[in-house]
Amino acid sequence: MRAVVIDRPGGPEVLQVKERPAPEPGPGEVKVRVHAAGINRADVLQRKGFYPAPPDAPADIPGLEFAGEIVEVGPSVFGWNKGDRVFGLAGGGTYAEYVVVHNRALARIPSQFNYIEAAAIPEVFITAYDAIVVQCGLMSGETVLIHAVGSGVGLAAVQIVKALSAVSIGTARSQDKLDRAKALGVDHCILARDAVFAEEVLSRTAGKGVDVVLELVGGSYVPEDLKCLAQKGRAVIVGLVNGARCDFDLALVLRKRIMIKGTTLRARPLEEKIEAIQLLSRNIVPLLEKGLLTATIDKVLPMTEAGEAHKYMEENLNFGKIILRM
């Protein structure tokens, strides 16, 4: 098979398309012909040598999500057949023509979605739903602050918040991304070029603050988050593009009884990844089928241009997902 391989740690130029043996399914696994794969920041970190693949994934083929069709079913697999259209998550290796995954780490692609659209769904919608609904217990009528609202996870969160009849406040560092997010359903937009937004958030919420913060930026954003969280507010940290360290006022955490959580998908063991995919099947796919959620795709590139895709993401130019076509 052809695969995008990390030739050595470094810049986007180290991504090279090479021939590799196709993986074969073992007990409980299926082999999927990958038609499209989503680009994620974890892939960029892996390429740079900062985020090694887990032991059950190829060390030098990045990629966490895919859409394709089953071409082979391993022993002890029930409910799946050759030709089934599927999407899902993997520990790595999805920048390739074939990937082998556990049969319970798959979901059926809704009939109205093609492979490109389907590849834009798993990581961002699972991450957003798991963070704000499962971990933070978002309820109808509550208010959610979504940072990096023009990112794939940010736009997925906007749609989930809307589907649950909650209120969204989105931040971004460019007015263009805010304007485009507004068209997709975000209720309030705040320009946050200098990581200063708490006063504006409090103004938009009549001084109450927000119930949930989806923190996709990290660093200096976190102290501002605490200022604008409501009593018994919940913050979940997903991304650290602004840095992994900050100083914040612990007295605010005590006084407001704030809950702060952190989360990742890739580092979870198989059984927890299976739970995440079940969220996709049970909670997200029905909303996709009803048209309440949809994929937001910025750019589609062939696998031979994986380096360009990474460069584009690192420049923070994308609005929504970047997809590789295999």
Side-chain angles (χ1 to χ4, degrees):
M1 70 174 184
R2 293 190 306 158
V4 177
V5 174
I6 301 171
D7 195 49
R8 62 191 183 281
E13 71 281 354
V14 306
L15 296 175
Q16 303 292 325
V17 175
K18 296 185 177 182
E19 289 290 330
R20 285 292 173 88
E24 297 302 325
E29 297 178 329
V30 299
K31 182 178 180 178
V32 176
R33 170 63 172 95
V34 178
H35 290 285
I39 303 286
N40 293 287
R41 289 198 178 272
D43 308 336
V44 173
L45 292 174
Q46 182 180 349
R47 188 205 74 221
K48 292 178 175 181
F50 300 144
Y51 198 175
D56 61 347
D60 58 353
I61 303 175
L64 306 180
E65 61 185 335
F66 62 90
E69 62 180 313
I70 295 175
V71 295
E72 190 175 344
V73 177
S76 304
V77 172
F78 305 97
W80 294 111
N81 298 292
K82 289 177 64 175
D84 286 345
R85 298 190 334 131
V86 294
F87 57 167
L89 298 174
T94 67
Y95 288 18
E97 292 179 321
Y98 294 95
V99 67
V100 163
V101 295
H102 193 279
N103 77 98
R104 296 191 64 208
L106 296 169
R108 296 185 190 276
I109 298 174
S111 59
Q112 68 267 43
F113 284 79
N114 61 37
Y115 289 120
I116 298 294
E117 294 166 332
I121 290 168
E123 196 274 342
V124 295
F125 278 99
I126 291 172
T127 296
Y129 192 96
D130 176 72
I132 62 178
V133 180
V134 176
Q135 298 201 49
C136 288
L138 176 66
M139 299 178 67
S140 174
E142 291 192 314
T143 302
V144 185
L145 176 61
I146 303 167
H147 294 304
V149 75
S151 67
V153 177
L155 292 170
V158 167
Q159 296 179 61
I160 291 168
V161 169
K162 188 178 182 70
L164 296 178
S165 298
V167 177
S168 59
I169 300 175
T171 75
R173 286 179 285 183
S174 79
Q175 189 61 49
D176 175 64
K177 288 188 176 182
L178 289 176
D179 292 341
R180 295 168 73 181
K182 185 74 172 178
L184 290 175
V186 68
D187 294 300
H188 304 279
C189 294
I190 295 174
L191 191 63
R193 286 199 181 101
D194 300 315
V196 177
F197 51 83
E199 186 175 334
E200 183 65 21
V201 169
L202 290 170
S203 175
R204 299 290 181 97
T205 58
K208 174 182 178 292
V210 297
D211 302 289
V212 174
V213 173
L214 179 61
E215 182 51 79
L216 302 174
V217 182
S220 57
Y221 277 55
V222 175
E224 288 284 293
D225 292 338
L226 301 184
K227 294 176 185 176
C228 60
L229 271 167
Q231 288 290 322
K232 301 178 74 172
R234 296 91 74 195
V236 57
I237 301 172
V238 179
L240 299 173
V241 294
N242 192 242
R245 296 182 179 276
C246 65
D247 292 321
F248 60 84
D249 186 356
L250 285 171
L252 277 177
V253 178
L254 299 182
R255 188 165 65 248
K256 294 184 177 183
R257 291 175 286 165
I258 288 170
M259 180 190 75
I260 304 173
K261 301 190 74 171
T263 187
T264 65
L265 274 180
R266 186 181 192 180
R268 298 183 187 187
L270 175 60
E271 59 268 22
E272 292 188 24
K273 286 192 173 80
I274 290 171
E275 288 179 6
I277 290 296
Q278 299 313 304
L279 282 179
L280 178 63
S281 293
R282 292 193 312 266
N283 300 74
I284 298 170
V285 166
L287 297 175
L288 292 166
E289 291 173 334
K290 292 177 182 178
L292 297 175
L293 307 178
T294 191
T296 305
I297 298 171
D298 182 285
K299 184 172 287 194
V300 180
L301 295 168
M303 66 187 300
T304 52
E305 296 183 25
E308 287 301 311
H310 274 220
K311 181 181 177 182
Y312 188 64
M313 173 167 275
E314 288 184 275
E315 292 172 345
N316 294 315
L317 297 174
N318 59 297
F319 182 81
K321 292 291 291 187
I322 306 166
I323 304 297
L324 284 186
R325 185 175 58 249
M326 303 300 166

